[in-house]
PDB file of all heavy atoms in Angstrom:
ATOM      1  N   GLU Q   1      93.691 120.261 169.010  1.00 87.00           N
ATOM      2  CA  GLU Q   1      92.681 120.737 168.082  1.00 87.00           C
ATOM      3  C   GLU Q   1      92.565 122.361 168.234  1.00 87.00           C
ATOM      4  O   GLU Q   1      92.093 122.703 169.391  1.00 87.00           O
ATOM      5  CB  GLU Q   1      91.415 120.013 168.326  1.00 87.00           C
ATOM      6  CG  GLU Q   1      90.177 120.496 167.479  1.00 87.00           C
ATOM      7  CD  GLU Q   1      90.427 120.353 165.974  1.00 87.00           C
ATOM      8  OE1 GLU Q   1      91.071 119.364 165.545  1.00 87.00           O
ATOM      9  OE2 GLU Q   1      90.090 121.392 165.335  1.00 87.00           O
ATOM     10  N   HIS Q   2      92.761 123.031 167.223  1.00 84.00           N
ATOM     11  CA  HIS Q   2      92.736 124.532 167.262  1.00 84.00           C
ATOM     12  C   HIS Q   2      91.653 125.144 166.517  1.00 84.00           C
ATOM     13  O   HIS Q   2      91.560 126.388 166.330  1.00 84.00           O
ATOM     14  CB  HIS Q   2      94.086 125.067 166.870  1.00 84.00           C
ATOM     15  CG  HIS Q   2      95.309 124.627 167.667  1.00 84.00           C
ATOM     16  ND1 HIS Q   2      96.364 124.073 167.078  1.00 84.00           N
ATOM     17  CD2 HIS Q   2      95.422 124.551 168.972  1.00 84.00           C
ATOM     18  CE1 HIS Q   2      97.235 123.782 168.033  1.00 84.00           C
ATOM     19  NE2 HIS Q   2      96.678 124.026 169.123  1.00 84.00           N
ATOM     20  N   SER Q   3      90.626 124.275 166.133  1.00 85.00           N
ATOM     21  CA  SER Q   3      89.515 124.884 165.319  1.00 85.00           C
ATOM     22  C   SER Q   3      88.334 125.138 166.331  1.00 85.00           C
ATOM     23  O   SER Q   3      88.371 124.727 167.548  1.00 85.00           O
ATOM     24  CB  SER Q   3      89.027 123.795 164.330  1.00 85.00           C
ATOM     25  OG  SER Q   3      88.486 122.725 164.968  1.00 85.00           O
ATOM     26  N   LEU Q   4      87.424 125.895 165.802  1.00 84.00           N
ATOM     27  CA  LEU Q   4      86.261 126.254 166.554  1.00 84.00           C
ATOM     28  C   LEU Q   4      85.123 125.189 166.198  1.00 84.00           C
ATOM     29  O   LEU Q   4      85.472 124.216 165.672  1.00 84.00           O
ATOM     30  CB  LEU Q   4      85.781 127.645 166.279  1.00 84.00           C
ATOM     31  CG  LEU Q   4      86.835 128.793 166.440  1.00 84.00           C
ATOM     32  CD1 LEU Q   4      86.309 130.105 165.952  1.00 84.00           C
ATOM     33  CD2 LEU Q   4      87.133 128.918 167.913  1.00 84.00           C
ATOM     34  N   VAL Q   5      83.901 125.399 166.722  1.00 84.00           N
ATOM     35  CA  VAL Q   5      82.828 124.493 166.413  1.00 84.00           C
ATOM     36  C   VAL Q   5      82.376 124.607 164.984  1.00 84.00           C
ATOM     37  O   VAL Q   5      82.960 125.446 164.178  1.00 84.00           O
ATOM     38  CB  VAL Q   5      81.734 124.641 167.342  1.00 84.00           C
ATOM     39  CG1 VAL Q   5      82.157 124.346 168.797  1.00 84.00           C
ATOM     40  CG2 VAL Q   5      81.119 126.120 167.338  1.00 84.00           C
ATOM     41  N   ASP Q   6      81.348 123.871 164.591  1.00 84.00           N
ATOM     42  CA  ASP Q   6      80.837 123.854 163.220  1.00 84.00           C
ATOM     43  C   ASP Q   6      80.680 125.265 162.687  1.00 84.00           C
ATOM     44  O   ASP Q   6      80.267 126.148 163.391  1.00 84.00           O
ATOM     45  CB  ASP Q   6      79.468 123.172 163.154  1.00 84.00           C
ATOM     46  CG  ASP Q   6      79.585 121.701 163.085  1.00 84.00           C
ATOM     47  OD1 ASP Q   6      80.635 121.233 162.815  1.00 84.00           O
ATOM     48  OD2 ASP Q   6      78.533 121.014 163.437  1.00 84.00           O
ATOM     49  N   PRO Q   7      81.093 125.494 161.384  1.00 87.00           N
ATOM     50  CA  PRO Q   7      81.726 124.644 160.419  1.00 87.00           C
ATOM     51  C   PRO Q   7      83.275 124.520 160.515  1.00 87.00           C
ATOM     52  O   PRO Q   7      83.866 123.816 159.690  1.00 87.00           O
ATOM     53  CB  PRO Q   7      81.260 125.112 159.137  1.00 87.00           C
ATOM     54  CG  PRO Q   7      81.260 126.613 159.366  1.00 87.00           C
ATOM     55  CD  PRO Q   7      80.888 126.790 160.793  1.00 87.00           C
ATOM     56  N   ASP Q   8      83.864 125.259 161.454  1.00 86.00           N
ATOM     57  CA  ASP Q   8      85.255 125.380 161.450  1.00 86.00           C
ATOM     58  C   ASP Q   8      85.979 124.051 161.650  1.00 86.00           C
ATOM     59  O   ASP Q   8      87.086 123.812 161.169  1.00 86.00           O
ATOM     60  CB  ASP Q   8      85.814 126.372 162.478  1.00 86.00           C
ATOM     61  CG  ASP Q   8      87.193 126.742 162.353  1.00 86.00           C
ATOM     62  OD1 ASP Q   8      87.702 127.010 161.208  1.00 86.00           O
ATOM     63  OD2 ASP Q   8      87.949 126.763 163.363  1.00 86.00           O
ATOM     64  N   ASN Q   9      85.402 123.180 162.458  1.00 83.00           N
ATOM     65  CA  ASN Q   9      85.949 121.894 162.719  1.00 83.00           C
ATOM     66  C   ASN Q   9      85.763 120.795 161.719  1.00 83.00           C
ATOM     67  O   ASN Q   9      86.061 119.666 161.944  1.00 83.00           O
ATOM     68  CB  ASN Q   9      85.401 121.394 164.179  1.00 83.00           C
ATOM     69  CG  ASN Q   9      83.872 121.213 164.200  1.00 83.00           C
ATOM     70  OD1 ASN Q   9      83.232 121.384 163.164  1.00 83.00           O
ATOM     71  ND2 ASN Q   9      83.405 120.763 165.307  1.00 83.00           N
ATOM     72  N   ARG Q  10      85.218 121.223 160.494  1.00 85.00           N
ATOM     73  CA  ARG Q  10      84.991 120.254 159.517  1.00 85.00           C
ATOM     74  C   ARG Q  10      86.089 120.339 158.427  1.00 85.00           C
ATOM     75  O   ARG Q  10      85.949 119.926 157.282  1.00 85.00           O
ATOM     76  CB  ARG Q  10      83.720 120.470 158.843  1.00 85.00           C
ATOM     77  CG  ARG Q  10      82.455 120.264 159.783  1.00 85.00           C
ATOM     78  CD  ARG Q  10      81.127 120.557 159.075  1.00 85.00           C
ATOM     79  NE  ARG Q  10      80.155 120.239 160.030  1.00 85.00           N
ATOM     80  CZ  ARG Q  10      79.087 119.503 159.706  1.00 85.00           C
ATOM     81  NH1 ARG Q  10      79.088 118.892 158.684  1.00 85.00           N
ATOM     82  NH2 ARG Q  10      78.147 119.340 160.648  1.00 85.00           N
ATOM     83  N   ARG Q  11      87.299 120.730 158.850  1.00 86.00           N
ATOM     84  CA  ARG Q  11      88.398 120.690 157.927  1.00 86.00           C
ATOM     85  C   ARG Q  11      88.883 119.314 157.572  1.00 86.00           C
ATOM     86  O   ARG Q  11      88.613 118.400 158.426  1.00 86.00           O
ATOM     87  CB  ARG Q  11      89.567 121.379 158.575  1.00 86.00           C
ATOM     88  CG  ARG Q  11      89.342 122.848 159.058  1.00 86.00           C
ATOM     89  CD  ARG Q  11      90.473 123.283 159.888  1.00 86.00           C
ATOM     90  NE  ARG Q  11      90.111 124.620 160.488  1.00 86.00           N
ATOM     91  CZ  ARG Q  11      91.040 125.212 161.343  1.00 86.00           C
ATOM     92  NH1 ARG Q  11      92.143 124.772 161.782  1.00 86.00           N
ATOM     93  NH2 ARG Q  11      90.675 126.448 161.824  1.00 86.00           N
ATOM     94  N   PRO Q  12      89.421 119.034 156.474  1.00 90.00           N
ATOM     95  CA  PRO Q  12      89.918 117.752 156.121  1.00 90.00           C
ATOM     96  C   PRO Q  12      90.991 117.233 157.122  1.00 90.00           C
ATOM     97  O   PRO Q  12      91.809 118.043 157.668  1.00 90.00           O
ATOM     98  CB  PRO Q  12      90.594 117.882 154.733  1.00 90.00           C
ATOM     99  CG  PRO Q  12      89.932 119.174 154.167  1.00 90.00           C
ATOM    100  CD  PRO Q  12      89.676 120.063 155.421  1.00 90.00           C
ATOM    101  N   VAL Q  13      90.948 116.000 157.444  1.00 92.00           N
ATOM    102  CA  VAL Q  13      91.857 115.397 158.419  1.00 92.00           C
ATOM    103  C   VAL Q  13      93.093 114.889 157.740  1.00 92.00           C
ATOM    104  O   VAL Q  13      93.005 114.200 156.701  1.00 92.00           O
ATOM    105  CB  VAL Q  13      91.195 114.242 159.168  1.00 92.00           C
ATOM    106  CG1 VAL Q  13      92.159 113.581 160.149  1.00 92.00           C
ATOM    107  CG2 VAL Q  13      89.931 114.671 159.941  1.00 92.00           C
ATOM    108  N   ASP Q  14      94.265 115.249 158.255  1.00 94.00           N
ATOM    109  CA  ASP Q  14      95.508 114.774 157.727  1.00 94.00           C
ATOM    110  C   ASP Q  14      95.821 113.514 158.311  1.00 94.00           C
ATOM    111  O   ASP Q  14      96.519 113.279 159.207  1.00 94.00           O
ATOM    112  CB  ASP Q  14      96.616 115.882 157.930  1.00 94.00           C
ATOM    113  CG  ASP Q  14      97.885 115.529 157.265  1.00 94.00           C
ATOM    114  OD1 ASP Q  14      98.125 114.412 156.802  1.00 94.00           O
ATOM    115  OD2 ASP Q  14      98.759 116.412 157.193  1.00 94.00           O
ATOM    116  N   TYR Q  15      95.365 112.299 157.675  1.00 95.00           N
ATOM    117  CA  TYR Q  15      95.532 110.984 158.151  1.00 95.00           C
ATOM    118  C   TYR Q  15      97.028 110.582 157.926  1.00 95.00           C
ATOM    119  O   TYR Q  15      97.637 109.791 158.747  1.00 95.00           O
ATOM    120  CB  TYR Q  15      94.659 110.037 157.495  1.00 95.00           C
ATOM    121  CG  TYR Q  15      93.125 110.186 157.849  1.00 95.00           C
ATOM    122  CD1 TYR Q  15      92.225 110.765 157.024  1.00 95.00           C
ATOM    123  CD2 TYR Q  15      92.706 109.894 159.093  1.00 95.00           C
ATOM    124  CE1 TYR Q  15      90.948 110.995 157.341  1.00 95.00           C
ATOM    125  CE2 TYR Q  15      91.386 110.049 159.516  1.00 95.00           C
ATOM    126  CZ  TYR Q  15      90.525 110.580 158.563  1.00 95.00           C
ATOM    127  OH  TYR Q  15      89.170 110.751 158.932  1.00 95.00           O
ATOM    128  N   SER Q  16      97.638 111.072 156.918  1.00 96.00           N
ATOM    129  CA  SER Q  16      99.044 110.708 156.693  1.00 96.00           C
ATOM    130  C   SER Q  16      99.871 111.179 157.811  1.00 96.00           C
ATOM    131  O   SER Q  16     100.783 110.527 158.264  1.00 96.00           O
ATOM    132  CB  SER Q  16      99.592 111.361 155.319  1.00 96.00           C
ATOM    133  OG  SER Q  16     100.864 111.021 155.141  1.00 96.00           O
ATOM    134  N   LEU Q  17      99.697 112.453 158.298  1.00 96.00           N
ATOM    135  CA  LEU Q  17     100.442 112.967 159.412  1.00 96.00           C
ATOM    136  C   LEU Q  17     100.217 112.075 160.644  1.00 96.00           C
ATOM    137  O   LEU Q  17     101.173 111.752 161.302  1.00 96.00           O
ATOM    138  CB  LEU Q  17     100.094 114.452 159.688  1.00 96.00           C
ATOM    139  CG  LEU Q  17     100.614 115.073 160.985  1.00 96.00           C
ATOM    140  CD1 LEU Q  17     102.093 115.169 160.913  1.00 96.00           C
ATOM    141  CD2 LEU Q  17      99.951 116.514 161.161  1.00 96.00           C
ATOM    142  N   ARG Q  18      99.012 111.799 160.929  1.00 95.00           N
ATOM    143  CA  ARG Q  18      98.723 110.946 162.156  1.00 95.00           C
ATOM    144  C   ARG Q  18      99.324 109.545 162.026  1.00 95.00           C
ATOM    145  O   ARG Q  18      99.849 109.051 163.021  1.00 95.00           O
ATOM    146  CB  ARG Q  18      97.144 110.830 162.280  1.00 95.00           C
ATOM    147  CG  ARG Q  18      96.623 112.190 162.797  1.00 95.00           C
ATOM    148  CD  ARG Q  18      95.138 112.351 162.474  1.00 95.00           C
ATOM    149  NE  ARG Q  18      94.682 113.632 163.096  1.00 95.00           N
ATOM    150  CZ  ARG Q  18      94.933 114.905 162.665  1.00 95.00           C
ATOM    151  NH1 ARG Q  18      95.670 115.010 161.557  1.00 95.00           N
ATOM    152  NH2 ARG Q  18      94.456 115.928 163.231  1.00 95.00           N
ATOM    153  N   ARG Q  19      99.286 108.936 160.835  1.00 95.00           N
ATOM    154  CA  ARG Q  19      99.943 107.591 160.639  1.00 95.00           C
ATOM    155  C   ARG Q  19     101.428 107.708 160.934  1.00 95.00           C
ATOM    156  O   ARG Q  19     102.069 106.957 161.640  1.00 95.00           O
ATOM    157  CB  ARG Q  19      99.688 107.075 159.317  1.00 95.00           C
ATOM    158  CG  ARG Q  19      98.341 106.426 159.191  1.00 95.00           C
ATOM    159  CD  ARG Q  19      98.223 105.668 157.904  1.00 95.00           C
ATOM    160  NE  ARG Q  19      98.283 106.512 156.629  1.00 95.00           N
ATOM    161  CZ  ARG Q  19      97.155 107.011 156.175  1.00 95.00           C
ATOM    162  NH1 ARG Q  19      95.984 106.780 156.715  1.00 95.00           N
ATOM    163  NH2 ARG Q  19      97.192 107.771 155.065  1.00 95.00           N
ATOM    164  N   THR Q  20     102.132 108.819 160.398  1.00 95.00           N
ATOM    165  CA  THR Q  20     103.507 109.047 160.535  1.00 95.00           C
ATOM    166  C   THR Q  20     103.797 109.172 162.082  1.00 95.00           C
ATOM    167  O   THR Q  20     104.833 108.616 162.583  1.00 95.00           O
ATOM    168  CB  THR Q  20     103.962 110.226 159.756  1.00 95.00           C
ATOM    169  OG1 THR Q  20     103.631 110.051 158.354  1.00 95.00           O
ATOM    170  CG2 THR Q  20     105.488 110.442 159.908  1.00 95.00           C
ATOM    171  N   LEU Q  21     103.089 110.091 162.733  1.00 95.00           N
ATOM    172  CA  LEU Q  21     103.333 110.424 164.162  1.00 95.00           C
ATOM    173  C   LEU Q  21     103.179 109.188 164.970  1.00 95.00           C
ATOM    174  O   LEU Q  21     103.926 108.780 165.905  1.00 95.00           O
ATOM    175  CB  LEU Q  21     102.531 111.480 164.609  1.00 95.00           C
ATOM    176  CG  LEU Q  21     102.834 112.834 164.081  1.00 95.00           C
ATOM    177  CD1 LEU Q  21     101.810 113.829 164.580  1.00 95.00           C
ATOM    178  CD2 LEU Q  21     104.209 113.322 164.421  1.00 95.00           C
ATOM    179  N   LEU Q  22     102.112 108.383 164.694  1.00 95.00           N
ATOM    180  CA  LEU Q  22     101.773 107.154 165.509  1.00 95.00           C
ATOM    181  C   LEU Q  22     102.907 106.175 165.278  1.00 95.00           C
ATOM    182  O   LEU Q  22     103.250 105.465 166.256  1.00 95.00           O
ATOM    183  CB  LEU Q  22     100.377 106.606 165.020  1.00 95.00           C
ATOM    184  CG  LEU Q  22      99.855 105.508 165.914  1.00 95.00           C
ATOM    185  CD1 LEU Q  22      99.800 105.904 167.364  1.00 95.00           C
ATOM    186  CD2 LEU Q  22      98.600 104.948 165.378  1.00 95.00           C
ATOM    187  N   ALA Q  23     103.334 106.015 164.065  1.00 94.00           N
ATOM    188  CA  ALA Q  23     104.486 105.051 163.837  1.00 94.00           C
ATOM    189  C   ALA Q  23     105.711 105.427 164.677  1.00 94.00           C
ATOM    190  O   ALA Q  23     106.380 104.578 165.206  1.00 94.00           O
ATOM    191  CB  ALA Q  23     104.845 105.051 162.268  1.00 94.00           C
ATOM    192  N   LYS Q  24     105.944 106.686 164.750  1.00 92.00           N
ATOM    193  CA  LYS Q  24     107.153 107.142 165.609  1.00 92.00           C
ATOM    194  C   LYS Q  24     106.913 106.800 167.134  1.00 92.00           C
ATOM    195  O   LYS Q  24     107.879 106.412 167.817  1.00 92.00           O
ATOM    196  CB  LYS Q  24     107.324 108.635 165.511  1.00 92.00           C
ATOM    197  CG  LYS Q  24     107.925 109.124 164.204  1.00 92.00           C
ATOM    198  CD  LYS Q  24     108.070 110.604 164.230  1.00 92.00           C
ATOM    199  CE  LYS Q  24     108.645 111.094 162.868  1.00 92.00           C
ATOM    200  NZ  LYS Q  24     108.827 112.493 162.797  1.00 92.00           N
ATOM    201  N   LEU Q  25     105.675 106.883 167.573  1.00 94.00           N
ATOM    202  CA  LEU Q  25     105.482 106.618 168.977  1.00 94.00           C
ATOM    203  C   LEU Q  25     105.390 105.160 169.357  1.00 94.00           C
ATOM    204  O   LEU Q  25     105.694 104.774 170.478  1.00 94.00           O
ATOM    205  CB  LEU Q  25     104.087 107.277 169.416  1.00 94.00           C
ATOM    206  CG  LEU Q  25     103.936 108.750 169.167  1.00 94.00           C
ATOM    207  CD1 LEU Q  25     102.498 109.257 169.717  1.00 94.00           C
ATOM    208  CD2 LEU Q  25     104.983 109.477 169.784  1.00 94.00           C
ATOM    209  N   THR Q  26     104.976 104.353 168.413  1.00 91.00           N
ATOM    210  CA  THR Q  26     104.702 102.932 168.694  1.00 91.00           C
ATOM    211  C   THR Q  26     105.803 102.002 168.241  1.00 91.00           C
ATOM    212  O   THR Q  26     105.667 100.780 168.397  1.00 91.00           O
ATOM    213  CB  THR Q  26     103.470 102.508 168.085  1.00 91.00           C
ATOM    214  OG1 THR Q  26     103.430 102.577 166.742  1.00 91.00           O
ATOM    215  CG2 THR Q  26     102.254 103.277 168.695  1.00 91.00           C
ATOM    216  N   GLY Q  27     106.935 102.553 167.705  1.00 81.00           N
ATOM    217  CA  GLY Q  27     107.903 101.702 167.162  1.00 81.00           C
ATOM    218  C   GLY Q  27     108.808 101.042 168.264  1.00 81.00           C
ATOM    219  O   GLY Q  27     109.546 100.046 167.924  1.00 81.00           O
ATOM    220  N   ALA Q  28     108.739 101.470 169.533  1.00 75.00           N
ATOM    221  CA  ALA Q  28     109.528 100.832 170.653  1.00 75.00           C
ATOM    222  C   ALA Q  28     108.656 100.705 171.888  1.00 75.00           C
ATOM    223  O   ALA Q  28     107.392 100.819 171.744  1.00 75.00           O
ATOM    224  CB  ALA Q  28     110.757 101.839 170.919  1.00 75.00           C
ATOM    225  N   GLY Q  29     109.331 100.474 173.017  1.00 82.00           N
ATOM    226  CA  GLY Q  29     108.442 100.177 174.181  1.00 82.00           C
ATOM    227  C   GLY Q  29     107.935 101.552 174.768  1.00 82.00           C
ATOM    228  O   GLY Q  29     107.882 102.524 174.127  1.00 82.00           O
ATOM    229  N   VAL Q  30     107.317 101.387 175.943  1.00 88.00           N
ATOM    230  CA  VAL Q  30     106.566 102.451 176.571  1.00 88.00           C
ATOM    231  C   VAL Q  30     107.533 103.704 176.837  1.00 88.00           C
ATOM    232  O   VAL Q  30     107.105 104.783 176.569  1.00 88.00           O
ATOM    233  CB  VAL Q  30     105.958 101.987 177.880  1.00 88.00           C
ATOM    234  CG1 VAL Q  30     105.292 103.162 178.644  1.00 88.00           C
ATOM    235  CG2 VAL Q  30     104.783 100.967 177.593  1.00 88.00           C
ATOM    236  N   GLY Q  31     108.662 103.386 177.341  1.00 90.00           N
ATOM    237  CA  GLY Q  31     109.631 104.491 177.662  1.00 90.00           C
ATOM    238  C   GLY Q  31     110.033 105.268 176.477  1.00 90.00           C
ATOM    239  O   GLY Q  31     109.993 106.532 176.479  1.00 90.00           O
ATOM    240  N   ALA Q  32     110.363 104.568 175.421  1.00 92.00           N
ATOM    241  CA  ALA Q  32     110.808 105.277 174.198  1.00 92.00           C
ATOM    242  C   ALA Q  32     109.577 106.032 173.609  1.00 92.00           C
ATOM    243  O   ALA Q  32     109.753 107.036 172.975  1.00 92.00           O
ATOM    244  CB  ALA Q  32     111.401 104.271 173.248  1.00 92.00           C
ATOM    245  N   GLY Q  33     108.439 105.319 173.523  1.00 94.00           N
ATOM    246  CA  GLY Q  33     107.188 105.923 173.033  1.00 94.00           C
ATOM    247  C   GLY Q  33     106.876 107.247 173.770  1.00 94.00           C
ATOM    248  O   GLY Q  33     106.475 108.226 173.133  1.00 94.00           O
ATOM    249  N   LEU Q  34     106.929 107.256 175.137  1.00 95.00           N
ATOM    250  CA  LEU Q  34     106.622 108.486 175.873  1.00 95.00           C
ATOM    251  C   LEU Q  34     107.680 109.543 175.573  1.00 95.00           C
ATOM    252  O   LEU Q  34     107.292 110.683 175.362  1.00 95.00           O
ATOM    253  CB  LEU Q  34     106.698 108.083 177.337  1.00 95.00           C
ATOM    254  CG  LEU Q  34     106.581 109.257 178.328  1.00 95.00           C
ATOM    255  CD1 LEU Q  34     105.235 110.017 178.081  1.00 95.00           C
ATOM    256  CD2 LEU Q  34     106.762 108.886 179.753  1.00 95.00           C
ATOM    257  N   ALA Q  35     108.916 109.180 175.433  1.00 95.00           N
ATOM    258  CA  ALA Q  35     109.947 110.179 175.161  1.00 95.00           C
ATOM    259  C   ALA Q  35     109.714 110.902 173.835  1.00 95.00           C
ATOM    260  O   ALA Q  35     109.807 112.031 173.651  1.00 95.00           O
ATOM    261  CB  ALA Q  35     111.329 109.540 175.189  1.00 95.00           C
ATOM    262  N   GLU Q  36     109.384 110.018 172.847  1.00 95.00           N
ATOM    263  CA  GLU Q  36     109.062 110.452 171.442  1.00 95.00           C
ATOM    264  C   GLU Q  36     107.774 111.401 171.514  1.00 95.00           C
ATOM    265  O   GLU Q  36     107.684 112.444 170.893  1.00 95.00           O
ATOM    266  CB  GLU Q  36     108.781 109.391 170.489  1.00 95.00           C
ATOM    267  CG  GLU Q  36     108.634 109.809 169.050  1.00 95.00           C
ATOM    268  CD  GLU Q  36     109.961 110.336 168.499  1.00 95.00           C
ATOM    269  OE1 GLU Q  36     111.072 109.886 168.809  1.00 95.00           O
ATOM    270  OE2 GLU Q  36     109.769 111.315 167.668  1.00 95.00           O
ATOM    271  N   ALA Q  37     106.786 110.967 172.272  1.00 96.00           N
ATOM    272  CA  ALA Q  37     105.584 111.800 172.415  1.00 96.00           C
ATOM    273  C   ALA Q  37     105.872 113.189 173.002  1.00 96.00           C
ATOM    274  O   ALA Q  37     105.312 114.197 172.514  1.00 96.00           O
ATOM    275  CB  ALA Q  37     104.524 111.067 173.272  1.00 96.00           C
ATOM    276  N   LEU Q  38     106.673 113.261 173.995  1.00 95.00           N
ATOM    277  CA  LEU Q  38     107.064 114.449 174.707  1.00 95.00           C
ATOM    278  C   LEU Q  38     107.770 115.360 173.761  1.00 95.00           C
ATOM    279  O   LEU Q  38     107.671 116.593 173.677  1.00 95.00           O
ATOM    280  CB  LEU Q  38     107.632 114.181 176.014  1.00 95.00           C
ATOM    281  CG  LEU Q  38     106.858 113.582 177.109  1.00 95.00           C
ATOM    282  CD1 LEU Q  38     107.677 113.244 178.314  1.00 95.00           C
ATOM    283  CD2 LEU Q  38     105.569 114.392 177.447  1.00 95.00           C
ATOM    284  N   ALA Q  39     108.649 114.663 173.008  1.00 94.00           N
ATOM    285  CA  ALA Q  39     109.549 115.473 172.102  1.00 94.00           C
ATOM    286  C   ALA Q  39     108.647 116.032 170.918  1.00 94.00           C
ATOM    287  O   ALA Q  39     109.045 117.052 170.293  1.00 94.00           O
ATOM    288  CB  ALA Q  39     110.565 114.535 171.459  1.00 94.00           C
ATOM    289  N   LEU Q  40     107.555 115.475 170.589  1.00 95.00           N
ATOM    290  CA  LEU Q  40     106.516 115.903 169.677  1.00 95.00           C
ATOM    291  C   LEU Q  40     105.468 116.759 170.207  1.00 95.00           C
ATOM    292  O   LEU Q  40     104.333 116.716 169.675  1.00 95.00           O
ATOM    293  CB  LEU Q  40     105.999 114.712 168.817  1.00 95.00           C
ATOM    294  CG  LEU Q  40     106.961 114.026 167.911  1.00 95.00           C
ATOM    295  CD1 LEU Q  40     106.308 112.647 167.454  1.00 95.00           C
ATOM    296  CD2 LEU Q  40     107.487 114.737 166.769  1.00 95.00           C
ATOM    297  N   GLY Q  41     105.798 117.436 171.301  1.00 94.00           N
ATOM    298  CA  GLY Q  41     104.761 118.242 171.969  1.00 94.00           C
ATOM    299  C   GLY Q  41     104.029 119.211 171.184  1.00 94.00           C
ATOM    300  O   GLY Q  41     102.760 119.229 171.155  1.00 94.00           O
ATOM    301  N   PRO Q  42     104.639 120.031 170.388  1.00 93.00           N
ATOM    302  CA  PRO Q  42     103.984 121.002 169.571  1.00 93.00           C
ATOM    303  C   PRO Q  42     103.060 120.428 168.504  1.00 93.00           C
ATOM    304  O   PRO Q  42     102.067 120.962 168.071  1.00 93.00           O
ATOM    305  CB  PRO Q  42     105.107 121.856 168.880  1.00 93.00           C
ATOM    306  CG  PRO Q  42     106.229 121.648 169.916  1.00 93.00           C
ATOM    307  CD  PRO Q  42     106.117 120.284 170.393  1.00 93.00           C
ATOM    308  N   GLU Q  43     103.435 119.225 167.989  1.00 95.00           N
ATOM    309  CA  GLU Q  43     102.678 118.564 166.963  1.00 95.00           C
ATOM    310  C   GLU Q  43     101.558 117.896 167.487  1.00 95.00           C
ATOM    311  O   GLU Q  43     100.654 117.314 166.778  1.00 95.00           O
ATOM    312  CB  GLU Q  43     103.650 117.563 166.217  1.00 95.00           C
ATOM    313  CG  GLU Q  43     104.640 118.238 165.341  1.00 95.00           C
ATOM    314  CD  GLU Q  43     105.926 118.474 166.119  1.00 95.00           C
ATOM    315  OE1 GLU Q  43     105.974 118.330 167.373  1.00 95.00           O
ATOM    316  OE2 GLU Q  43     106.932 118.970 165.384  1.00 95.00           O
ATOM    317  N   GLY Q  44     101.424 117.637 168.753  1.00 96.00           N
ATOM    318  CA  GLY Q  44     100.314 116.853 169.478  1.00 96.00           C
ATOM    319  C   GLY Q  44     100.671 115.521 169.778  1.00 96.00           C
ATOM    320  O   GLY Q  44      99.860 114.661 170.138  1.00 96.00           O
ATOM    321  N   GLY Q  45     102.032 115.215 169.873  1.00 96.00           N
ATOM    322  CA  GLY Q  45     102.526 113.818 170.329  1.00 96.00           C
ATOM    323  C   GLY Q  45     101.908 113.316 171.677  1.00 96.00           C
ATOM    324  O   GLY Q  45     101.499 112.229 171.808  1.00 96.00           O
TER     325      GLY Q  45
END
């Protein structure tokens, strides 16, 4: 989260992005999910 406090943190939430990233992380077991999360470091994985 790179926003400041109110009202800067009231930006619209990109739920589509979060669903896409979550699907990448949860598609396999713990090891594969962790590896994917670390690979998506800049995105917030």
Side-chain angles (χ1 to χ4, degrees):
E1 180 54 44
H2 300 131
S3 64
L4 302 173
V5 295
D6 280 341
D8 190 47
N9 61 1
R10 295 181 180 235
R11 302 172 187 175
V13 178
D14 188 342
Y15 291 108
S16 177
L17 171 64
R18 284 153 179 78
R19 279 192 292 273
T20 299
L21 292 176
L22 187 59
K24 288 181 180 180
L25 302 185
T26 59
V30 173
L34 173 62
E36 188 67 37
L38 295 175
L40 293 169
E43 292 86 353

